[in-house]
Amino acid sequence: MIIKINEYSDVPIYLQIRNQIVMGISSGELTAGEQLPTVRALSMEIGINTMTVSKAYQILKSEGYILTDRKNGARVRMEIDQSKSLSAQNKDELRRIVSEAKIAGMSKADFDKLTEEMWGE
């Protein structure tokens, strides 16, 4: 999986890394048990500070997406908790996106179609 950073984005780099890894797991591009690059290797590949990658990995670990240890590095968890619900933070983010779609004049049908297309990705 190739992680692409947008240096001009308002989204902090550590969150861009986190989000792309979550999307990689969701799409199947990253599989259960798959080894992730070391903090040092990923930071060198992207050209960023190791602490930024470390922060992304810490968040992914706390959210239950990856496991880390000093000997084996970071791996995608074999079993990720499937609570079948979104966190309060993600619900707030979704509410913001829906609000922006409404303000932009998007119909519910068009929004539903867009989410259906993204669900299938």
Side-chain angles (χ1 to χ4, degrees), residues 2 8 12 40 43 52 54 58-59 63 67 70 82-85 93 95-96 98 110-111 120:
I2 297 173
Y8 303 105
R40 181 169 285 134
S43 67
T52 303
S54 181
Q58 287 172 3
I59 291 169
E63 293 173 336
L67 295 171
R70 293 191 190 278
Q82 295 184 348
S83 64
K84 303 203 184 332
S85 66
E93 181 69 9
R95 189 172 292 112
R96 181 194 60 77
V98 168
D110 287 343
F111 188 84

Side-chain angles (χ1 to χ4, degrees), residues 52-112:
T52 303
V53 176
S54 181
K55 186 171 184 177
Y57 279 14
Q58 287 172 3
I59 291 169
L60 288 162
K61 182 179 179 181
S62 73
E63 293 173 336
Y65 293 114
I66 67 171
L67 295 171
T68 61
D69 66 55
R70 293 191 190 278
K71 185 176 180 183
N72 297 313
R75 293 186 178 276
V76 176
R77 286 182 65 109
M78 293 300 286
E79 294 182 19
I80 296 174
D81 180 33
Q82 295 184 348
S83 64
K84 303 203 184 332
S85 66
L86 291 174
S87 68
Q89 181 180 358
N90 284 338
K91 285 179 184 177
D92 288 342
E93 181 69 9
L94 183 56
R95 189 172 292 112
R96 181 194 60 77
I97 292 167
V98 168
S99 297
E100 288 181 14
K102 285 179 177 179
I103 291 169
M106 184 178 248
S107 71
K108 183 175 183 315
D110 287 343
F111 188 84
D112 290 345

Side-chain angles (χ1 to χ4, degrees), residues 1-3 17 21 36-50 53-54 56-57:
M1 175 177 179
I2 297 173
I3 294 181
I17 295 168
I21 290 174
L36 297 175
T38 64
V39 168
R40 181 169 285 134
L42 186 55
S43 67
M44 288 178 65
E45 181 181 321
I46 300 173
I48 60 172
N49 189 294
T50 58
V53 176
S54 181
Y57 279 14

